[in-house]
Amino acid sequence: MDFIGLIGFSLAVAVYTLFALLIIAARNRSLVARAVLFCTLVTLTSNLIAALQINFGFSLQWVMLADGFKVACWSLLIILFNTEHRNIKALVGNYYVRQYVGVWSLLMLGCWLASYWLDSAYEYIFLLFIVLNLWMLVLLEQLYRNADLQVRWAIWPLVVALASVAIFDFVLYAQATMVDGIDFDFWFSRGYLALFVAPLLLISIRRVKNGEVRIFVSRNVVFYSSMLMIAGAYLLLMSFTGYVINYLGGEWGDLVSIGFLMLSGIVLVVLLITESLRRKVKVFIAKNFFANKYEYRDEWLNLIEKIETTSGESHYQMATQIMMSKVEASRGAIVKKFSNQHYQLQYSKGLEIHEELEEHLLDVGQFCHRKGWIVDVNEYESFPLLYPDLALNIGLCRAKHIQIIVPIFIGKAFYGLFLLADENELKRLNWEDRDLLFAISKQLGNFISLYEATDKLSESKQFDAFNRMSAFLVHDLKNVQAQLALITANAEKHRNNPEFIDDVFETVESATQRLEKVLSQLRQKQVEQSAHSETDLALIIKKVVEQCNLRLPAIEFEQQGSCVTLIDSESFQSVIHHLIQNAQEATASDGLIKVSIIEKKRAIRITIADNGCGMDEEFIKYRLFRPFDTTKGNAGMGIGVFEAKQFFENMAGIIKVASTPKQGTVFTIDLPLRKAGAISGQDLL
């Protein structure tokens, strides 16, 4: 057997010598040609040392050392194919070249030192060559998979030749690791294998003119390379396990060795063809080693632009059209969940939702709600086990051409479903497509929720405006009723008093005008704004005081200055009447109420002071000026003081309150002095 091995290595030396001479004769001075020549000479030297070892019987480690350099040279040649460097200096500075040389040097040095310290133990050297040959296989796989058709035609002989040698050596050293020794029947075959692959190397080198074979690393390349690395790591683990068992359990027979190898191979094949493992590896690689397929900033801006520019009769239509555009679907619909037994169609384009489909969507919606998953009908049809606990009616979906079902969440609440359909088959969704669709669905859900809330708010505002108008009108009617009630209460006592009769007619006329105004507001469904005119505020307050003095407690009135300003006299009279009336209601019959009006330099100050029950600070701060909050029960509307505050602030004035419980209250009102044609809103004193 030694003689056969010697013949094989010797023939390989002769063939690679001829190979080197052919390269030299071609006079190709390119970096690739020189690298191939160097690899050929290293391979020649490796086979020569193997032949000499058989003849002279020196240590096998010298042959393995030469093999280590041979593997490194061919691996660096593969890396060279993937660079644009055309000189040695640039090649040496390449990151991947330096990375390979650095790691290779550490592995070689570490394994040979370990072998030396352990009295020429070969186990670590065997493991070293398993790793180096696996590394070469990964480089070859990347080179071939990413090359275009023309380049593949040029390099496939090289890939086949180097892969054959790497696989043979990988198996050789893996078996050697398990049985703690090299099978020399395989070892002596290495010369013949090197001899047979030489023509393939020659063919490939002739086809590659300039070495421009670039790798553009893709997800698929990294996936297959990773699977190859997983396979190699698995076999490496099995080899180490075999070594441990051999170390602990004694000698292995050939039968046990072969059985263990077969079992390891079966387990490896099962793992590699398992779809779930392949999917998990793909997703892991894509998420951790590559940039996202979608630039989410651009997608976000694009979504905003579509929301702003997409035209539609409703926000449901806009949302559905945007979602359809993301998968290029021609049909679509949005259904909203109203209860666990009912969905309601909000919008549909070319997709009819009948009762049977709606009932089926209830189950699909429960699955989407529970899992938070997007359902790809085409994927479900091919791999139903990927969707556990989902019973999808494929026939019903195919009849409606529904291919993608996207759940809509608003926060954590399940809102409904987008149904995307097309007569032609839509693209199969990967994990990035699902993430994008889910993100867009959440944003569109918030968009729909905002519009629905806006619609409800608009309705609420309409009702609120109507209710507020009604409250003000009722308040006006209440004031009219109070005026008429005063007449009725004093009629029997003062009916023969001519002044009382004149006051009655004046009050009735005022009440009539108020009622006409109320009726006009009801017809127009809004509160009318009276015109401003120059008004003597003192005269209006004096008139109100006289009306209110028909009941106890009595009111004192004091005036300083003319107090003429530009104001809505009718509204002013109403709010002053209400404030004075409130003071009377808060004060005992024998109490004191004083109303004063003073003209200052730039303002008119009105004060209404009483010594009634008073108010605490919390009530003034949180309730006094709040609409529809009253302490009078059903007798009050709770808008009198609120209306007064709104009126005075609209006049560029302010109203202040100072009060102490059981001592009394003082309302202070400052209004700007404004004449006809003057600028409104002057500074107050």
Side-chain angles (χ1 to χ4, degrees):
M1 194 66 186
D2 291 351
F3 179 74
I4 295 176
L6 179 62
I7 295 298
F9 288 122
S10 300
L11 291 174
V13 170
V15 168
Y16 281 94
T17 301
L18 179 61
F19 191 3
L21 292 174
L22 290 174
I23 296 175
I24 295 173
R27 296 183 178 181
N28 189 340
R29 299 185 180 276
S30 67
L31 181 61
V32 172
R34 284 182 286 174
V36 171
L37 176 60
F38 185 76
C39 292
T40 303
L41 293 176
V42 171
T43 304
L44 185 156
T45 303
S46 174
N47 284 279
L48 179 61
I49 294 175
L52 293 175
Q53 190 275 334
I54 295 174
N55 192 38
F56 295 103
F58 53 81
S59 174
L60 201 62
Q61 286 197 21
W62 291 103
V63 182
M64 294 181 179
L65 182 62
D67 276 349
F69 280 97
K70 180 189 72 174
V71 173
C73 289
W74 287 109
S75 297
L76 289 172
L77 176 66
I78 298 170
I79 295 175
L80 174 62
F81 280 143
N82 301 288
T83 66
E84 296 177 345
H85 304 310
R86 293 297 173 261
N87 58 76
I88 296 178
K89 182 179 180 180
L91 180 64
V92 172
N94 183 272
Y95 170 77
Y96 296 103
V97 171
R98 288 185 296 164
Q99 181 189 58
Y100 183 89
V101 172
V103 176
W104 175 85
S105 300
L106 289 175
L107 291 175
M108 289 284 289
L109 182 62
C111 291
W112 250 269
L113 288 177
S115 175
Y116 174 77
W117 287 332
L118 297 176
D119 297 328
S120 299
Y122 284 84
E123 291 84 357
Y124 296 99
I125 298 179
F126 295 159
L127 291 174
L128 167 68
F129 279 97
I130 291 175
V131 173
L132 292 180
N133 283 287
L134 177 61
W135 197 347
M136 178 184 283
L137 288 172
V138 172
L139 293 174
L140 287 169
E141 193 272 337
Q142 290 182 344
L143 174 68
Y144 185 77
R145 186 171 296 280
N146 284 274
D148 57 31
L149 294 177
Q150 183 178 0
V151 174
R152 285 187 180 183
W153 173 82
I155 65 172
W156 76 260
L158 172 72
V159 173
V160 170
L162 296 181
S164 300
V165 175
I167 292 173
F168 186 90
D169 286 352
F170 183 91
V171 174
L172 170 67
Y173 288 112
Q175 185 186 31
T177 303
M178 288 187 288
V179 299
D180 197 23
I182 290 179
D183 186 339
F184 281 94
D185 291 340
F186 284 98
W187 179 263
F188 293 140
S189 302
R190 297 174 74 245
Y192 294 99
L193 179 61
L195 176 66
F196 292 146
V197 301
L200 294 176
L201 294 174
L202 180 61
I203 293 172
S204 192
I205 297 305
R206 287 181 59 84
R207 290 179 178 179
V208 179
K209 300 298 183 181
N210 55 11
E212 292 182 354
V213 182
R214 296 293 312 280
I215 287 183
F216 299 94
V217 180
S218 67
R219 285 168 167 75
N220 287 332
V221 172
V222 176
F223 166 69
Y224 287 110
S225 298
S226 300
M227 296 302 290
L228 189 59
M229 288 292 291
I230 291 173
Y234 175 81
L235 292 176
L236 187 62
L237 177 63
M238 291 299 100
S239 300
F240 180 74
T241 304
Y243 168 73
V244 172
I245 294 176
N246 182 42
Y247 178 79
L248 297 176
E251 295 294 332
W252 276 31
D254 292 339
L255 181 61
V256 177
S257 175
I258 294 173
F260 185 76
L261 277 174
M262 292 179 61
L263 179 62
S264 302
I266 293 172
V267 174
L268 176 62
V269 170
V270 171
L271 289 176
L272 293 182
I273 66 175
T274 302
E275 183 67 24
S276 60
L277 175 64
R278 294 164 63 87
R279 285 176 176 271
K280 290 179 180 178
V281 172
K282 275 188 175 182
V283 172
F284 176 80
I285 291 170
K287 283 187 175 182
N288 294 279
F289 296 99
F290 287 92
N292 291 324
K293 177 181 177 181
Y294 300 101
E295 178 57 52
Y296 276 84
R297 178 180 177 275
D298 294 339
E299 293 294 336
W300 174 252
L301 295 175
N302 184 39
L303 176 61
I304 293 175
E305 182 181 2
K306 285 188 175 181
I307 290 176
E308 292 176 345
T309 59
T310 301
S311 60
E313 298 178 358
S314 67
H315 42 276
Y316 301 112
Q317 180 180 354
M318 293 172 62
T320 305
Q321 289 176 349
I322 291 172
M323 184 59 73
M324 290 166 55
S325 68
K326 290 301 176 181
V327 296
E328 300 180 352
S330 60
R331 303 180 184 182
I334 178 174
V335 292
K336 179 180 180 180
K337 178 183 177 182
F338 274 81
S339 67
N340 291 331
Q341 290 78 33
H342 180 58
Y343 276 155
Q344 180 173 331
L345 178 66
Q346 302 298 101
Y347 172 77
S348 174
K349 179 182 179 182
L351 190 59
E352 181 182 356
I353 308 297
H354 51 68
E355 185 176 354
E356 182 183 1
L357 179 58
E358 180 183 335
E359 292 179 356
H360 184 58
L361 289 177
L362 290 172
D363 297 331
V364 178
Q366 290 179 358
F367 171 83
C368 293
H369 183 195
R370 186 172 62 253
K371 294 286 189 178
W373 289 2
I374 294 174
V375 178
D376 186 339
V377 177
N378 298 325
E379 184 181 58
Y380 177 87
E381 186 176 16
S382 302
F383 307 101
L385 295 180
L386 295 177
Y387 297 85
D389 304 325
L390 175 62
L392 189 64
N393 190 330
I394 296 295
L396 188 59
C397 292
R398 290 302 183 201
K400 297 295 180 181
H401 303 288
I402 297 175
Q403 300 188 41
I404 299 174
I405 301 174
V406 183
I408 307 171
F409 289 91
I410 300 176
K412 294 184 178 180
F414 179 71
Y415 178 87
L417 299 169
F418 282 115
L419 307 177
L420 307 177
D422 198 284
E423 293 181 354
N424 300 318
E425 184 174 347
L426 300 176
K427 66 176 183 178
R428 189 71 62 88
L429 301 179
N430 60 22
W431 69 270
E432 286 183 288
D433 298 325
R434 294 174 185 273
D435 283 355
L436 178 65
L437 290 180
F438 194 77
I440 292 176
S441 174
K442 286 186 70 68
Q443 294 302 320
L444 292 178
N446 293 331
F447 165 73
I448 292 171
S449 175
L450 179 62
Y451 265 89
E452 289 182 342
T454 302
D455 290 342
K456 291 181 180 179
L457 182 60
S458 177
E459 293 178 1
S460 176
K461 283 185 176 181
Q462 292 176 357
F463 280 107
D464 180 64
F466 181 78
N467 292 334
R468 175 174 290 192
M469 182 193 70
S470 301
F472 282 113
L473 295 180
V474 171
H475 185 262
D476 287 343
L477 292 175
K478 177 175 170 288
N479 289 336
V480 173
Q481 184 271 337
Q483 290 178 318
L484 297 176
L486 283 174
I487 295 174
T488 304
N490 293 279
E492 184 175 354
K493 181 178 179 181
H494 300 284
R495 66 174 57 193
N496 296 321
N497 187 341
E499 294 182 359
F500 175 75
I501 297 300
D502 292 340
D503 189 60
V504 166
F505 281 110
E506 186 178 347
T507 302
V508 170
E509 182 181 1
S510 175
T512 302
Q513 293 175 354
R514 282 180 172 274
L515 289 174
E516 288 179 354
K517 181 181 178 182
V518 168
L519 292 174
S520 175
Q521 292 172 356
L522 287 173
R523 284 192 294 266
Q524 298 178 14
K525 298 181 180 179
Q526 62 181 3
V527 178
E528 292 182 347
Q529 300 295 329
S530 300
H532 295 180
S533 60
E534 281 193 348
T535 305
D536 188 341
L537 302 185
L539 291 177
I540 294 178
I541 295 175
K542 184 176 180 180
K543 183 178 179 180
V544 172
V545 168
E546 290 175 353
Q547 291 177 351
C548 291
N549 269 335
L550 295 175
R551 56 176 291 185
L552 296 176
I555 304 167
E556 295 182 7
F557 175 66
E558 179 184 357
Q559 175 187 353
Q560 295 181 15
S562 63
C563 303
V564 176
T565 188
L566 193 66
I567 202 169
D568 176 1
S569 59
E570 187 176 351
S571 297
F572 176 75
Q573 180 178 345
S574 176
V575 297
I576 287 295
H577 184 280
H578 181 80
L579 293 177
I580 294 175
Q581 184 179 344
N582 280 354
Q584 285 184 304
E585 292 175 353
T587 307
S589 300
D590 58 348
L592 175 65
I593 298 176
K594 184 176 181 179
V595 179
S596 64
I597 181 168
I598 303 172
E599 181 179 2
K600 294 181 176 290
K601 185 177 180 180
R602 294 187 181 90
I604 298 172
R605 175 164 293 176
I606 304 169
T607 58
I608 303 172
D610 66 69
N611 60 354
C613 61
M615 299 173 286
D616 57 34
E617 184 178 353
E618 183 177 358
F619 180 85
I620 296 173
K621 185 176 181 180
Y622 295 108
R623 298 184 58 188
L624 179 61
F625 296 108
R626 189 174 179 182
F628 310 111
D629 188 351
T630 179
T631 58
K632 302 176 182 178
N634 294 330
M637 296 295 298
I639 63 171
V641 180
F642 170 76
E643 183 183 19
K645 183 174 184 292
Q646 293 290 312
F647 173 76
F648 292 131
E649 288 180 351
N650 289 337
M651 294 295 105
I654 58 174
I655 181 171
K656 300 178 182 178
V657 182
S659 183
T660 303
K662 298 181 181 180
Q663 293 185 18
T665 303
V666 178
F667 278 85
T668 303
I669 302 156
D670 285 335
L671 290 172
L673 271 173
R674 298 188 300 177
K675 305 295 183 180
I679 299 175
S680 63
Q682 297 177 1
D683 294 335
L684 299 178
L685 180 62

